[in-house]
Amino acid sequence: MAVFKLIGMNEVNVFRNWALNIISSLSFLVSSSSFASNVVHGQIAIFQDTNPISIEVVLPEFSGGVLQNKLIHFAKLPENIKSDNKGCFCFDLNDERFAFVHTYYYATKALEYYNAVFLKLGLPLLHDLEINLSKDVSLPTTGGYATIKTMVLAYPRPALDISILAHEIGHFVHFNAAGQEIFGNADGKTNMEGVQNLGIHEGTANLLSALFTGSSQIGKAGGFSFDIDNFIRFPDLLISKREAKVRLLAEPIILQNYPAFAMKGLKKLKSIDADLIQSENYALPDPYLSSSVINQPLWRATFQFGIERIKLLYIKTISELRTFSSYSDLANALLKNAKLMNVSLYETLKNDYQVRGLHLTE
């Protein structure tokens, strides 16, 4: 009898624990199935060097429609963009629909990435970006803006270059952080001030792209690139706009994959050389490349001080910098904020900007 009671109590305890585990498991399954109902899968590309490799990922949740949420939507979706019988938006790498899934994933992730910084800084969050996406096999991946809220992207292959997408989103981040679409002092691009003004706009987009993708090269998947990790001494050791164009058109992959683009570029060079005003303009430094004078020290600092700190420093600075006419203006604004954040970061950046020939007051 005593033995029976002892065994009985153990059995009761075992049963009770088993029952509690079952209840707990059922609760988990209910919550999991509820959660899983919102999970959507799709295929995107990652790049091995410049070669796209398709992988399956969980897509950001849709709201308001297919491949749409409060952060982004497309101007127009292709026909028949729906999931397969497993609920996956899985398309071949050469299928036009792949580009939309691929872009939706990366664009949403990029905006979430920078919204985390906006939240810390108390800035109005990024939202409602419209992307007008189209295929154009005559060009590498290219981008621009129709309006501040409407981004235009053209791609030669559905696995479009993510660094170019991130570059254009970098402009969107910049404009929203600063609170105005057009800012800075220089109206044109035909003098040194204009070069630096444009360089700050384009250099900002390049830096923000690099911080998101983790690569200092912008446009590499298209066969050519701007690399923000270049030593520039301003105003010496600079590549002219003409030389930058010559180098681009000399890239073998450009000649091979985009011959019409290359021929048009060569004709443009001839017209530039034949026109005194244009040739003087193109003798000025290239703004995309010269912006490395700002970006290289920041990029190098990410390895010592972390990407999160550099993101915070840069976005805080551009949100406060309403007018500027030179790289030195931006460098001084960055140093002012770096001094408040971390003395070692301030000293590192100050030394690097001095070496690069910028005029510092901080």
Side-chain angles (χ1 to χ4, degrees), residues 271-344:
S271 70
I272 288 167
D273 292 341
D275 185 290
L276 179 61
I277 294 175
Q278 281 200 79
S279 60
E280 287 179 353
N281 178 24
Y282 272 76
L284 289 167
D286 184 84
Y288 297 89
L289 300 178
S290 62
S291 61
S292 289
V293 73
I294 291 292
N295 287 342
Q296 188 187 48
L298 290 166
W299 179 249
R300 299 266 169 123
T302 64
F303 298 97
Q304 184 177 352
F305 301 98
I307 283 180
E308 291 302 314
R309 181 169 281 161
I310 301 305
K311 273 196 302 183
L312 190 65
L313 168 65
Y314 199 85
I315 292 177
K316 176 176 171 56
T317 301
I318 61 174
S319 73
E320 297 168 345
L321 190 63
R322 289 292 185 269
T323 60
F324 48 80
S325 59
S326 69
Y327 292 132
S328 296
D329 288 344
L330 178 54
N332 283 308
L334 286 164
L335 290 174
K336 182 179 179 180
N337 283 325
K339 189 186 293 185
L340 298 173
M341 289 177 62
N342 183 288
V343 173
S344 182

Side-chain angles (χ1 to χ4, degrees), residues 221-242:
F224 69 95
S225 65
F226 296 113
D227 194 330
I228 70 171
D229 190 12
N230 278 311
F231 180 83
I232 297 293
R233 181 173 172 81
F234 201 84
D236 310 314
L237 306 181
L238 295 176
I239 295 170
S240 70
K241 286 192 275 188
R242 186 187 188 285

Side-chain angles (χ1 to χ4, degrees), residues 10 25 43 61 78 89 108 124 159 176 184 203 215 217 222 248 262 283 288-289 293 306 342 358-359:
N10 279 337
S25 297
Q43 285 184 314
E61 187 176 343
F89 287 82
T108 300
N176 279 275
S215 171
Q217 293 181 307
L248 168 61
Y288 297 89
L289 300 178
V293 73
N342 183 288
L358 297 181
H359 175 67

Side-chain angles (χ1 to χ4, degrees), residues 16-230:
R16 184 181 64 186
N17 291 336
W18 173 79
L20 288 171
N21 286 335
I22 289 294
I23 292 169
S24 177
S25 297
L26 285 172
S27 298
F28 173 76
L29 286 172
V30 169
S31 63
S32 294
S33 63
S34 174
F35 174 74
S37 66
N38 294 324
V39 174
V40 182
H41 287 252
Q43 285 184 314
I44 64 166
I46 57 173
F47 288 87
Q48 182 67 44
D49 194 26
T50 60
N51 299 314
I53 300 169
S54 179
I55 64 167
E56 187 174 317
V57 296
V58 174
L59 296 176
E61 187 176 343
F62 300 168
S63 60
V66 175
L67 299 183
Q68 177 178 325
N69 55 44
K70 63 184 178 181
L71 298 177
I72 77 154
H73 64 277
F74 291 100
K76 184 180 179 182
L77 288 173
E79 294 182 3
N80 199 32
I81 188 157
K82 57 186 180 181
S83 59
D84 60 20
N85 56 10
K86 294 181 180 178
C88 183
F89 287 82
C90 295
F91 305 107
D92 184 82
L93 267 171
N94 296 312
D95 191 316
E96 175 194 14
R97 294 170 295 177
F98 184 96
F100 286 80
V101 178
H102 179 73
T103 301
Y104 173 76
Y105 177 84
Y106 281 110
T108 300
K109 291 296 182 183
L111 291 179
E112 289 174 343
Y113 184 75
Y114 283 111
N115 262 341
V117 182
F118 275 49
L119 190 62
K120 286 182 181 178
L121 294 173
L123 297 171
L125 296 183
L126 304 163
H127 63 91
D128 200 30
L129 173 62
E130 180 176 281
I131 301 177
N132 193 331
L133 190 61
S134 62
K135 190 170 185 177
D136 186 344
V137 296
S138 70
L139 295 168
T141 300
T142 57
Y145 274 85
T147 70
I148 184 56
K149 285 282 192 178
T150 306
M151 188 169 82
V152 179
L153 280 172
Y155 61 91
R157 61 182 180 182
L160 63 89
D161 188 326
I162 293 307
S163 67
I164 301 299
L165 168 65
H167 170 97
E168 295 305 331
I169 286 176
H171 284 304
F172 186 62
V173 172
H174 190 181
F175 295 148
N176 279 275
Q180 50 189 342
E181 185 173 354
I182 305 298
F183 51 99
N185 300 336
D187 294 325
K189 307 168 188 175
T190 57
N191 55 39
M192 192 65 84
E193 184 175 320
V195 166
Q196 293 177 80
N197 184 274
L198 181 60
I200 289 173
H201 284 266
E202 298 299 336
T204 293
N206 280 346
L207 177 67
L208 296 180
S209 174
L211 293 176
F212 173 69
T213 64
S215 171
S216 66
Q217 293 181 307
I218 316 300
K220 185 178 180 183
F224 69 95
S225 65
F226 296 113
D227 194 330
I228 70 171
D229 190 12
N230 278 311

